[in-house]
Amino acid sequence: MEQNYEGGFHIERMKSRIPWDMPQAHSHNYHEIYYLLSGSRRYFIGHSIYYVEAGDLVVIPKGSLHRTTQRSCGNYERYVVYFSDEFAAPLAAMLGAEEMQRFLQLGCIRLPQQYRSSVQKLFEAMEQEREKEDGCAKMSKMCALGSLFSFVLRHGAGVRKDSAEKLDKIQAVARFISENFSREITLGEAARMACMEVTYFSKQFKKWTGFGFLEYLTQVRMQQAQELLRNSELSVGEIAEAVRSCCEEKKRKARRIITIPNLLSLFRLLLIPVYAMLYVHAETAKDYLLSGAILALSCITDLFDGLIARRFDQISNLGKALDPIADKATQGVMLLCVAGRHPILWWLFGFFALKEGFQLVMGCWYLRKGQMLPGALMSGKVSTVVLFLCMILLVIFPGMHAWAVTLLLILCAFFMAVSFVSYIKAYFGRNKKVEKL
């Protein structure tokens, strides 16, 4: 995000009455000072996570990738000052290069309570000069900014970053990405580095940094490319080639066809007609038991193909399409066959079709906007497991009493409804989960 502030200086004060997250990460060619007057925020800068409380001051050097997100649902108020190297050059000359650099690398600092009113007055003084156009305005803003520099360097105390183990590991991964942006880094590799399961790591990384994993990796690479354009002697073509080499490797992996997860998904598709023929023509207990075993095998392969894809970095574009097709086709045919013997289940099949139709329409709509859900919701996974277990019972015990069939129907419908509501919230809720591709 590049702004052209006249004179190389800008100050703004904002008070928010609603929870708000910065829509996307950004960096700019200005240094930034963020001072929180009230409320609390979470700030991710470069590869560090800070919890910012009222009275905390955050220094963001130019070119640093950063994003602020809500930490609580309460209101907050803050000052933000932007200044260029040229504007601060006289101050840097007086402070000295070493002290100026120390200020810019402070990160997040907590000022002692007795000094906060003095700091706020300095921000107010800069704000009062904002609209003035006389010859004294620049000098007044520079004096107030210089006083802020010296005051903070004298009295500021470093704010401790959260020492929770999972945050230390997430920050370590973010630091590793920042320092190794030119090499291919996969989600599975990052999760192993953090000693976390892939799905859990992905959610935790998004929760604590405000970035999706791929979003952060892309942003770091874009930022580094911009820095190379500004500060290196490399040509545009050479920089583009360096970035392209990373992207080409990622695309090559995404285009893979023969992978274990893809073969498992294909196997599940081939099991569908086998199950249907066996169940429809079943006459003996052995036939029904074999039909149930096929469904159980399909359910197990459904669980394992995703785990293998994430654990061994075998995620592919074909797999992303093939897995849900095999999943939904299996569930649909399974319900149709069982409903033929237990007509009351047609209600469940109708609800299933409504839910899946909604997800298909919304998925296509958001896909056209360049967005999608980061993955299946936990409620959807639970609903799928419950549906498989209940249908396997109905397949294995075809003579089940009507009250038991009704009970299983209600159980499936309940979890399916919970899943449906979760997806509606994910697409339309206040904290919707869709992400940019």
Side-chain angles (χ1 to χ4, degrees), residues 53-73:
E53 305 288 348
D56 290 352
L57 185 143
V58 185
V59 182
I60 304 110
K62 70 176 185 179
S64 296
L65 191 64
H66 58 282
R67 187 178 196 177
T68 177
T69 54
Q70 66 184 32
R71 189 184 173 194
S72 63
C73 295

Side-chain angles (χ1 to χ4, degrees), residues 55-59 103 106-111 152-153 155-159:
D56 290 352
L57 185 143
V58 185
V59 182
F103 175 82
L106 283 173
C108 181
I109 63 172
R110 176 161 296 139
L111 294 165
V152 169
L153 286 169
H155 305 295
V159 173

Side-chain angles (χ1 to χ4, degrees), residues 115-231:
Y115 298 128
R116 293 179 187 177
S117 60
S118 300
V119 169
Q120 185 168 339
K121 287 177 182 177
L122 291 173
F123 279 97
E124 290 170 353
M126 288 185 277
E127 184 183 23
Q128 289 168 7
E129 297 294 331
R130 182 176 54 187
E131 304 301 330
K132 296 179 181 178
E133 298 180 357
D134 56 60
C136 299
K138 182 176 181 179
M139 183 189 299
S140 298
K141 287 184 283 192
M142 194 176 294
C143 288
L145 185 62
S147 297
L148 180 64
F149 286 174
S150 59
F151 201 93
V152 169
L153 286 169
R154 283 176 176 172
H155 305 295
V159 173
R160 279 188 180 178
K161 290 181 284 188
D162 194 299
S163 59
E165 184 180 1
K166 62 184 176 185
L167 290 191
D168 288 342
K169 290 180 177 180
I170 287 171
Q171 290 179 108
V173 170
R175 185 180 300 109
F176 178 81
I177 292 171
S178 297
E179 295 171 353
N180 299 273
F181 63 91
S182 60
R183 55 162 288 191
E184 179 65 21
I185 304 172
T186 66
L187 178 60
E189 181 183 359
R192 288 193 295 274
M193 194 181 305
C195 302
M196 296 181 188
E197 191 273 327
V198 173
T199 304
Y200 179 73
F201 168 78
S202 180
K203 291 178 179 178
Q204 291 297 311
F205 193 87
K206 173 72 174 179
K207 176 181 178 180
W208 298 110
T209 68
F211 297 88
F213 172 77
L214 289 178
E215 179 190 8
Y216 180 68
L217 183 58
T218 302
Q219 289 281 357
V220 168
R221 286 174 175 167
M222 292 291 291
Q223 180 193 16
Q224 294 297 333
Q226 291 170 4
E227 285 297 312
L228 289 173
L229 283 170
R230 281 195 291 259
N231 302 319

Side-chain angles (χ1 to χ4, degrees), residues 296-312:
L297 180 61
S298 179
C299 182
I300 291 170
T301 55
D302 183 25
L303 293 174
F304 275 97
D305 64 357
L307 291 174
I308 293 171
R310 291 186 292 269
R311 178 68 177 82
F312 297 101

Side-chain angles (χ1 to χ4, degrees), residues 323-382:
D323 179 65
I325 289 172
D327 187 21
K328 305 310 175 187
T330 301
Q331 292 178 50
V333 172
M334 176 177 64
L335 272 170
L336 275 173
C337 292
V338 178
R341 294 182 183 271
H342 302 282
I344 193 174
L345 292 179
W346 283 111
W347 292 100
L348 186 62
F349 177 78
F351 189 28
F352 170 80
L354 174 66
K355 171 180 170 290
E356 297 304 327
F358 167 81
Q359 288 181 228
L360 178 63
V361 171
M362 294 310 303
C364 292
W365 184 52
Y366 273 103
L367 200 58
R368 290 184 61 186
K369 297 167 62 177
Q371 297 175 303
M372 67 181 296
L373 286 178
L377 302 182
M378 181 54 66
S379 58
K381 295 178 181 179
V382 172

